[in-house]
């Protein structure tokens, strides 16, 4: 049974300056990128599955270096498999742990940074950071689709995309889940605090998809975001494992 999450209401501190800081990594027209179909996450692009895919105690397509960074108590992993180092296209898979075995629950076509991936992400490089990050907080313009359970959720109009963005991008932050990269856990996703400094970027989220690459976030279809918001459980210590396939396998 999932424990009830703390529900948050709109927060007064989320003014325009804080909003623009948070949005700098996440949204806006990004130039290019096409949708991709979800396939075998361990496939290296040449039709071969990674060596880790046969071991149920491991996340498929993830090598020892990153596998060791998945917390021992985590029982939910959102894996983002980027198509290539410089590609904006990716596949997202939710794995849940039952006993010692990981099971593939759902998968979706998705997008990451317009320019691909970075092992040393910096503000405005338009690449998503490679790594393992906890998932602690959520929010958005729309009401929580899973009231009373799941990640703490902040509903606020402050998440709304700027009106000068193209209409096809304005829904991007209807739902967001903060990726705990250079942020303070336990705060709303649009909290502008950057513990490692502004140059390291921040405001990196899972959010709604607009059909192309992002500034650094990972974007998914609305049904996927709703499913994750209903399913991710703080008691199961969810994390995101993200990167291009080659570096995930390394």
């Amino acid at each position: 049974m999932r424990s009830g999450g703390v529900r948050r209401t709109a927060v007064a501190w989320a003014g325009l300056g804080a909003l623009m800081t948070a949005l700098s990594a996440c949204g806006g027209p990004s130039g290019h990128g096409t949708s991709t179909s979800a396939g075998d996450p361990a496939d290296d692009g040449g039709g071969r599955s990674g060596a880790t895919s046969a071991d149920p105690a491991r996340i498929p397509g993830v090598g020892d270096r990153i596998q060791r960074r998945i917390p021992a108590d985590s029982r939910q992993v959102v894996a983002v498999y980027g198509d290539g180092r410089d590609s904006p296209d990716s596949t997202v898979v939710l794995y849940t742990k039952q006993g010692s075995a990981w099971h593939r629950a759902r998968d979706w076509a998705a997008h990451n940074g317009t320019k691909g991936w970075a092992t040393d992400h910096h503000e405005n490089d338009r690449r998503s950071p490679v790594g393992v990050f906890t998932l602690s907080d959520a929010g958005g313009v729309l009401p929580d689709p899973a009231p009373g359970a799941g990640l703490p959720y902040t509903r606020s109009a402050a998440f709304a995309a700027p009106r000068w963005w193209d209409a096809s991008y304005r829904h991007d932050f209807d739902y967001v889940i903060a990726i705990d990269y250079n942020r303070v856990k336990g705060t709303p996703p649009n909290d502008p605090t950057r513990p490692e400094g502004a140059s390291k970027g921040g405001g990196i989220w899972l959010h709604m998809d607009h059909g192309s690459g992002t500034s650094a976030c990972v974007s998914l279809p609305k049904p996927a975001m709703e499913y994750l918001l209903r399913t991710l459980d703080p008691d199961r210590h969810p994390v995101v494992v993200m990167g291009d396939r080659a570096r995930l396998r390394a």
Side-chain angles (χ1 to χ4, degrees):
M1 181 62 117
R2 296 163 58 194
S3 65
V6 178
R7 316 269 46 103
R8 302 193 188 106
T9 58
V11 285
W13 55 263
L16 181 60
L19 172 67
M20 296 314 297
T21 299
L23 299 192
S24 65
C26 266
S30 50
H32 72 273
T34 56
S35 62
T36 182
S37 297
D40 180 358
D43 195 312
D44 64 5
R48 299 179 298 275
S49 292
T52 62
S53 61
D55 186 346
R58 299 170 63 96
I59 299 298
V62 177
D64 289 343
R65 180 178 58 85
I66 291 182
Q67 199 92 219
R68 285 193 293 265
R69 294 175 58 187
I70 299 173
D73 60 356
S74 179
R75 305 190 71 78
Q76 290 179 321
V77 167
V78 178
V80 184
Y81 298 95
D83 279 7
R85 182 170 300 195
D86 301 317
S87 172
D89 300 328
S90 53
T91 299
V92 170
V93 182
L94 174 65
Y95 294 98
T96 61
K97 197 170 191 180
Q98 301 171 25
S100 62
W102 288 102
H103 297 270
R104 180 171 176 154
R106 295 286 182 93
D107 59 72
W108 307 273
H111 291 96
N112 49 266
T114 299
K115 293 186 176 181
W117 297 90
T119 53
D120 184 19
H121 171 71
H122 284 80
E123 186 77 10
N124 298 321
D125 66 8
R126 305 189 77 77
R127 293 178 179 270
S128 299
V130 176
V132 178
F133 309 100
T134 53
L135 299 170
S136 305
D137 303 278
V141 176
L142 298 179
D144 183 0
L151 302 176
Y153 189 94
T154 300
R155 184 190 182 189
S156 174
F159 284 100
R163 297 299 298 172
W164 61 83
W165 284 9
D166 186 271
S168 62
Y169 296 85
R170 291 182 196 155
H171 68 280
D172 280 13
F173 313 129
D174 283 356
Y175 294 128
V176 308
I177 298 171
I179 293 172
D180 292 335
Y181 170 89
N182 197 19
R183 71 178 300 268
V184 178
K185 292 193 288 185
T187 63
N190 56 356
D191 184 334
T193 306
R194 304 286 178 260
E196 298 179 48
S199 67
K200 291 293 289 180
I204 297 177
W205 303 337
L206 304 175
H207 68 66
M208 302 261 283
D209 190 55
H210 52 247
S212 63
T214 70
S215 292
C217 297
V218 174
S219 61
L220 302 99
K222 183 178 182 179
M225 288 300 299
E226 291 175 331
Y227 183 85
L228 290 174
L229 286 166
R230 292 188 180 109
T231 304
L232 295 179
D233 181 354
D235 289 345
R236 304 188 77 184
H237 307 285
V239 299
V240 60
V241 176
M242 54 194 283
D244 57 278
R245 284 187 170 93
R247 279 184 279 204
L248 287 179
R249 288 196 311 273

